[in-house]
């Protein structure tokens, strides 16, 4: 059985080999590079990306697991990230969508991609939505 790191490495390789474009089911992917909260090392994560009114978002779902994914903890500690998306690579500021906007946005995403609704039903934690805003 392939572990998650091997799977992610394969996704990253395919993404880059395809000029920064890769579909994963109904969603497009991006590569998010965060800086480790403890280690300070760069970490790359392939994530589904969601476009809503010209802004892009990622979801810290971890498939509905009880804990947030490691990349989420990294970007909270170090919100300057690198995004590879649609053939571009750029720095961005990551920010957790505030509670007063979260539920409506998450519902729109789950409507388009029902698996994210399933992930929320599987866990008691509120799954964060993260906005990625290009800087520079």
């Amino acid at each position: 059985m392939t572990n998650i790191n091997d799977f992610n490495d394969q996704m990253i390789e395919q993404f880059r080999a395809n000029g920064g474009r890769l579909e994963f089911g109904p969603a497009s992917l991006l590569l998010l590079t965060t800086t480790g909260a403890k280690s300070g090392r760069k970490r790359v994560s392939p994530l589904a990306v969601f476009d809503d009114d010209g802004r892009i978002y990622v979801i810290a779902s971890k498939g509905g697991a009880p804990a947030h994914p490691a990349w989420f903890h990294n970007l909270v500690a170090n919100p300057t990230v690198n995004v590879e998306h649609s053939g571009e690579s750029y720095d961005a500021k990551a920010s957790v969508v505030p509670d007063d906007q979260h539920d409506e946005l998450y519902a729109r995403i789950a409507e388009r991609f029902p698996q994210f609704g399933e992930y929320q039903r599987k866990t008691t934690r509120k799954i964060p939505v993260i906005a990625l805003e290009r800087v520079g």
Side-chain angles (χ1 to χ4, degrees):
M1 179 164 176
T2 303
N3 72 37
I4 190 67
N5 289 332
D6 291 340
F7 178 77
N8 282 350
D9 288 346
Q10 291 173 0
M11 296 291 287
I12 292 165
E13 185 178 320
Q14 290 176 6
F15 182 92
R16 289 180 172 154
N18 288 316
R21 298 186 193 299
L22 190 63
E23 302 299 312
F24 190 68
S28 294
L29 293 181
L30 62 68
L31 298 184
L32 182 71
T33 302
T34 58
T35 302
K38 293 179 184 174
S39 71
R41 295 196 325 214
K42 300 294 184 188
R43 305 276 187 205
V44 180
S45 301
L47 302 171
V49 60
F50 307 97
D51 185 308
D52 190 73
D53 289 332
R55 297 191 70 191
I56 63 169
Y57 301 90
V58 292
I59 309 287
S61 67
K62 198 176 180 183
H68 296 314
W71 62 261
F72 176 75
H73 296 290
N74 291 341
L75 71 77
V76 168
N78 301 300
T80 299
V81 298
N82 183 265
V83 174
E84 295 175 58
H85 180 239
S86 298
E88 290 186 89
S89 177
Y90 56 89
D91 289 333
K93 180 179 183 265
S95 58
V96 178
V97 171
D99 284 345
D100 65 339
Q101 299 168 24
H102 175 278
D103 294 348
E104 182 182 335
L105 179 58
Y106 197 96
R108 287 197 309 269
I109 291 168
E111 185 177 304
R112 289 170 30 203
F113 306 98
Q115 71 270 27
F116 287 92
E118 289 299 316
Y119 298 157
Q120 185 59 76
R121 286 188 281 284
K122 286 172 53 176
T123 187
T124 57
R125 71 182 171 94
K126 187 174 201 171
I127 294 176
V129 178
I130 298 88
L132 301 172
E133 186 175 342
R134 184 189 299 253
V135 295

